[in-house]
Amino acid sequence: MRIKIGTQGDNEAFVITPVDFSVSDIRGIRVYIKYLNGGYVDENKVIIPLSNVDVLDIYHKTVELFEKRFKCQIENDSEAGSLLGSAVSEEERFRAFSAKAFAIRNNDIDGSELTAFLDCVKQDSFRRTLKPFQALSAYHLAFAHNACNFSVPGAGKTSTVLAAYAYLVNNNEIDKLLVVGPLASFIAWKKEYFYCFGTEPKVLEIMGSTPDKRIESELMRSTIDLDLILVSYGSVNRYLDELLFLLRNNRTMVVLDEAHRIKNVDDGVQSTATLQLSPLARSRAVLTGTPAPNSYVDLYNLYKFIWPAHNIIGFSIPQLANMSKHDEDSRIDELISRIAPFYIRIKKSDLGLPEPQFFPPVNVQMSPVQETIYDAIAKMAVGRLEDGSTRAGSRLAAIIRLRQAATNPSLLNRGLDDYYDQFDDSGPRVSLDNNLNVSDEVMRLIQTYQETEIPPKYIKAGEIAKKIVAEGGKLVIWCEFIGTCDDLSDYLRSIGIENRLLYGKTDYYERESIINAFTDKENPSSFNVIIANPHAVGESISLHATCHNALYLEQSFNAGTYMQSKDRIHRVGLQENDITRYYYIHSSNTIDEAVFERVNEKEKRMIELIESQEIPLIADNQDFMEDTEDDIKAIIRGYYEFRSKHF
């Protein structure tokens, strides 16, 4: 079927005229065209109004509809005038532009192009030596101006963006850099800017503690003397007017770091405010290692941000949601094809990192007191887990209490009200049950445990830490519970091991000071051990410059935070002779063993998924996150296996 596109009146509307068929032959045409600015059928013609709309966008969507959906061949009316001619020219230009971006993405280019790009980057005293995959990613972004980088954590996405930024600055296309990200990312951007350009950036950090007057005085002016503007996602809406003023008056690259935070299409505040920055940006970059954690819907806002005037995705939100439920949906290939020119993705296997060393878990024997407490908590927990009528909050609380008893029974004295404080604001929340359901005798042991003994796990952690520090190394210890972080820190100091805490309670400026001191190669820090919570600092920080040892004192069933925490010390920038070592401490015959086994199974499946798919859906592996039915079964199975052997 063939159609001809022309215009009506004084460019009031597009007119689609069937050439060799009737409009009525197209099933459902009235439903589809009404979404094109209220399009309608008039006799045997389709009329698409052009009032109050981006003409190029409507033309692009019209071509998409009739070419892709209705399988029509399109002719453009040569007498339609300049409006249609401009739209046609722009559409053709964008298609050629997309094809070139796709070629760069696939490294299907002349080597001299990349050499010329790198030569231009270095004109601005760019000091970093980029890995080949980083150079290609930077060139792709610099050419496209607007692109997504879906590379795994540790691939050097920050340096890649800064190289593209240097190129665009040297070509006089942009002169300011605005980064929207979580607070934890601010430190990395400042450090990477220094490493890349050799100078400390003039930076404005916009977050809850930044005075309003400073933000206004820095941004609401015609000339801005800043190299780097950093704004937290939570602050975008509050300072939207000031940020829009910045973008209207400065040629700015806008970067969304950890951009999965705007994936929510139903978010009325954070995502909506951030998307308003897009139309005024001269260049846009989206960075996230998890582009589609739940469904293909998660891609919608990312591409809406980088190309606000082009319908790159090409599918509606309901269509994307439906496609996510069916692996064999033929539309998935079309989706990947549509978005491919404007994203690049480096997998873990592409990084060429030295292989890490994993030590088998060290099993420590619980004391008789801890064992008595643990057995009572295990009996209570398994009872709840086996009871299908028990509400979700009680089941989750039972698992938490079991994990706490395996490390330090004194944690059982604390309520679970602050359990969610360590997590990101997103995600479901259920009320947790503080009732332990143990005998009075066991409760007295719990209440006096802290005065009775030092948890055996702490003692073993101290031994490992002492050995690593004595050999000149540094160590990060990962703990799941805030109470564990605090208590372990006190214990290590009591045996002469200086340490610092990185968790939700650590103030931003204190966190920055700790990371800077810990990773400073030139000036040895006064401490060589960090105790960290993976839910609070599992992303956006890099410790690999000086730290090559990680110890897991506690773990959860969440493979996502586990993988992120491992990447803090195993990432691009390691030297060939750097050996990354991972240690684990378990209490014998406890939930620790089930958690370790399950989280490693999940990680293995996730790595296979991530390495094999272009846009992997974490939803395809639902138990990737925490406390699924299979996890519960593993807890129950381990409990009865132990009892059958020892009772």
Side-chain angles (χ1 to χ4, degrees):
M1 297 186 295
R2 291 181 299 132
I3 63 168
K4 179 179 288 187
I5 301 180
T7 53
Q8 176 178 278
D10 187 18
N11 292 322
E12 298 171 354
F14 283 139
V15 178
I16 291 90
T17 306
V19 175
D20 52 6
F21 67 101
S22 171
V23 167
S24 60
D25 292 338
I26 301 180
R27 184 176 180 180
I29 189 170
R30 296 177 189 274
V31 175
Y32 285 99
I33 64 171
K34 73 177 182 180
Y35 292 107
L36 296 177
N37 202 34
Y40 59 93
V41 175
D42 181 16
E43 296 181 348
N44 198 37
K45 296 181 294 186
V46 174
I47 309 298
I48 301 175
L50 297 178
S51 57
N52 302 316
V53 73
D54 184 326
V55 174
L56 176 59
D57 182 50
I58 286 295
Y59 177 79
H60 177 74
K61 290 177 179 176
T62 300
V63 170
E64 286 276 319
L65 177 64
F66 281 91
E67 275 191 347
K68 302 281 188 183
R69 171 65 58 179
F70 299 145
K71 310 300 181 186
C72 293
Q73 294 178 332
I74 296 176
E75 300 175 11
N76 294 295
D77 189 343
S78 60
E79 299 179 0
S82 60
L83 183 69
L84 180 61
S86 297
V88 172
S89 297
E90 177 59 24
E91 179 71 12
E92 292 175 349
R93 187 199 70 81
F94 189 74
R95 288 190 181 190
F97 174 75
S98 300
K100 177 64 175 179
F102 184 70
I104 295 173
R105 170 196 189 269
N106 294 331
N107 201 14
D108 185 18
I109 55 174
D110 190 314
S112 61
E113 292 183 47
L114 197 55
T115 300
F117 164 76
L118 292 173
D119 288 344
C120 183
V121 167
K122 292 175 182 176
Q123 288 179 21
D124 199 38
S125 301
F126 189 86
R127 295 185 173 190
R128 277 280 197 201
T129 299
L130 299 175
K131 300 283 187 181
F133 60 82
Q134 292 175 315
L136 187 69
S137 299
Y139 180 37
H140 177 258
L141 173 57
F143 172 83
H145 283 62
N146 310 295
C148 302
N149 191 319
F150 296 152
S151 301
V152 296
K157 293 190 285 289
T158 305
S159 296
T160 294
V161 170
L162 290 173
Y165 165 75
Y167 177 87
L168 294 174
V169 167
N170 289 338
N171 278 276
N172 201 32
E173 297 185 52
I174 58 174
D175 48 34
K176 290 290 176 285
L177 180 60
L178 169 65
V179 178
V180 184
L183 284 178
S185 71
F186 286 13
I187 300 169
W189 279 96
K190 290 185 291 184
K191 289 174 74 73
E192 285 302 313
Y193 190 99
F194 174 77
Y195 292 146
C196 288
F197 298 108
T199 58
E200 297 285 352
K202 298 176 183 177
V203 62
L204 172 64
E205 297 173 273
I206 303 176
M207 51 187 169
S209 60
T210 311
D212 291 351
K213 287 187 177 180
R214 188 190 170 200
I215 295 171
E216 292 175 5
S217 66
E218 292 277 18
L219 298 185
M220 304 292 283
R221 57 201 306 180
S222 56
T223 303
I224 296 177
D225 187 25
L226 291 168
D227 300 309
L228 184 60
I229 301 102
L230 300 167
V231 57
S232 67
Y233 281 104
S235 298
V236 173
N237 187 60
R238 180 178 176 183
Y239 298 108
L240 186 59
D241 289 342
E242 290 85 350
L243 294 170
L244 292 176
F245 184 89
L246 163 74
L247 297 179
R248 288 190 190 98
N249 292 278
N250 296 270
R251 299 171 302 170
T252 306
M253 170 186 274
V254 180
V255 181
L256 304 188
D257 198 1
E258 305 294 353
H260 47 273
R261 292 169 184 253
I262 69 153
K263 64 183 175 59
N264 241 331
V265 294
D266 297 322
D267 184 351
V269 180
Q270 187 164 291
S271 297
T272 301
T274 304
L275 288 170
Q276 290 185 60
L277 304 177
S278 175
L280 296 177
R282 294 293 184 93
S283 174
R284 309 169 188 88
V286 157
L287 311 180
T288 175
T290 53
N294 300 311
S295 82
Y296 293 121
V297 174
D298 296 340
L299 295 168
Y300 189 85
N301 278 351
L302 306 187
Y303 274 84
K304 186 177 179 181
F305 177 83
I306 64 165
W307 285 108
H310 290 275
N311 183 24
I312 302 294
I313 290 285
F315 293 98
S316 67
I317 291 171
Q319 286 174 320
L320 293 170
N322 182 262
M323 291 156 59
S324 303
K325 299 175 183 177
H326 307 285
D327 291 342
E328 304 302 320
D329 195 315
S330 61
R331 294 173 296 177
I332 295 175
D333 289 339
E334 182 183 344
L335 171 66
I336 301 300
S337 176
R338 295 177 65 94
I339 68 174
F342 301 109
Y343 84 83
I344 204 160
R345 182 166 173 261
I346 306 303
K347 301 174 183 178
K348 186 81 173 183
S349 57
D350 298 324
L351 302 184
L353 299 177
E355 283 295 318
Q357 184 175 358
F358 295 91
F359 290 94
V362 176
N363 289 297
V364 297
Q365 184 63 44
M366 292 186 290
S367 70
V369 174
Q370 183 181 6
E371 194 165 6
T372 298
I373 295 171
Y374 182 85
D375 287 346
I377 296 297
K379 183 178 179 181
M380 177 272 294
V382 170
R384 288 188 190 176
L385 298 177
E386 287 183 315
D387 185 353
S389 64
T390 304
R391 65 182 183 84
S394 292
R395 288 159 68 91
L396 176 57
I399 296 172
I400 294 170
R401 291 309 195 183
L402 199 52
R403 287 161 51 205
Q404 289 178 330
T407 295
N408 179 7
S410 68
L411 297 176
L412 301 171
N413 289 308
R414 311 178 192 192
L416 296 177
D417 298 337
D418 64 351
Y419 174 72
Y420 291 119
D421 292 348
Q422 63 189 317
F423 296 98
D424 187 88
D425 290 338
S426 61
R429 300 287 183 264
V430 295
S431 177
L432 299 176
D433 187 350
N434 284 312
N435 190 356
L436 294 178
N437 290 336
V438 295
S439 68
D440 292 343
E441 180 184 355
V442 172
M443 184 58 72
R444 282 193 294 273
L445 293 177
I446 292 171
Q447 291 169 344
T448 59
Y449 184 81
Q450 192 160 8
E451 292 79 41
T452 303
E453 66 182 25
I454 297 168
K457 271 193 177 185
Y458 289 10
I459 296 172
K460 179 55 68 175
E463 293 173 1
I464 293 174
K466 271 190 174 181
K467 183 175 184 297
I468 290 172
V469 172
E471 294 172 351
K474 294 191 175 187
L475 171 68
V476 56
I477 302 176
W478 295 102
C479 302
E480 286 288 319
F481 300 107
I482 295 171
T484 301
C485 294
D486 290 329
D487 293 350
L488 179 63
S489 177
D490 292 340
Y491 170 71
L492 292 182
R493 284 200 180 92
S494 74
I495 62 172
I497 300 175
E498 272 302 308
N499 64 87
R500 297 292 185 272
L501 289 162
L502 287 180
Y503 56 171
K505 294 195 297 183
T506 309
D507 173 78
Y508 167 74
Y509 294 106
E510 182 184 359
R511 180 180 300 189
E512 181 176 20
S513 175
I514 290 169
I515 293 173
N516 285 341
F518 191 70
T519 57
D520 190 336
K521 289 184 175 181
E522 305 300 326
N523 303 296
S525 57
S526 60
F527 59 97
N528 292 308
V529 175
I530 281 178
I531 300 171
N533 179 283
H535 303 285
V537 294
E539 64 179 18
S540 299
I541 67 168
S542 300
L543 306 175
H544 65 296
T546 58
C547 180
H548 307 302
N549 303 282
L551 168 62
Y552 289 85
L553 191 77
E554 297 168 321
Q555 287 182 274
S556 75
F557 287 109
N558 190 323
T561 55
Y562 174 54
M563 292 171 70
Q564 287 179 338
S565 67
K566 286 167 63 180
D567 288 334
R568 298 312 98 205
I569 64 169
H570 193 241
R571 54 201 296 116
V572 168
L574 289 171
Q575 304 301 311
E576 288 186 11
N577 59 345
D578 288 335
I579 301 175
T580 304
R581 300 178 176 90
Y582 297 102
Y583 303 83
Y584 307 85
I585 299 177
H586 293 171
S587 289
S588 297
N589 302 312
T590 67
I591 189 176
D592 288 345
E593 296 169 8
V595 172
F596 183 75
E597 179 183 339
R598 288 286 300 146
V599 81
N600 278 280
E601 287 177 3
K602 295 178 186 181
E603 181 191 28
K604 181 180 178 181
R605 291 198 300 273
M606 276 309 301
I607 290 174
E608 291 173 354
L609 181 69
I610 291 169
E611 291 289 322
S612 65
Q613 293 189 10
E614 278 292 304
I615 302 293
L617 295 184
I618 292 179
D620 286 348
N621 197 6
Q622 287 287 359
D623 71 350
F624 182 57
M625 306 312 283
E626 195 166 8
D627 306 336
T628 66
E629 287 300 318
D630 285 341
D631 297 329
I632 291 171
K633 290 176 183 176
I635 295 170
I636 296 171
R637 183 172 61 251
Y639 173 77
Y640 284 114
E641 285 178 355
F642 173 72
R643 289 187 64 82
S644 68
K645 294 176 182 177
H646 296 84
F647 296 95

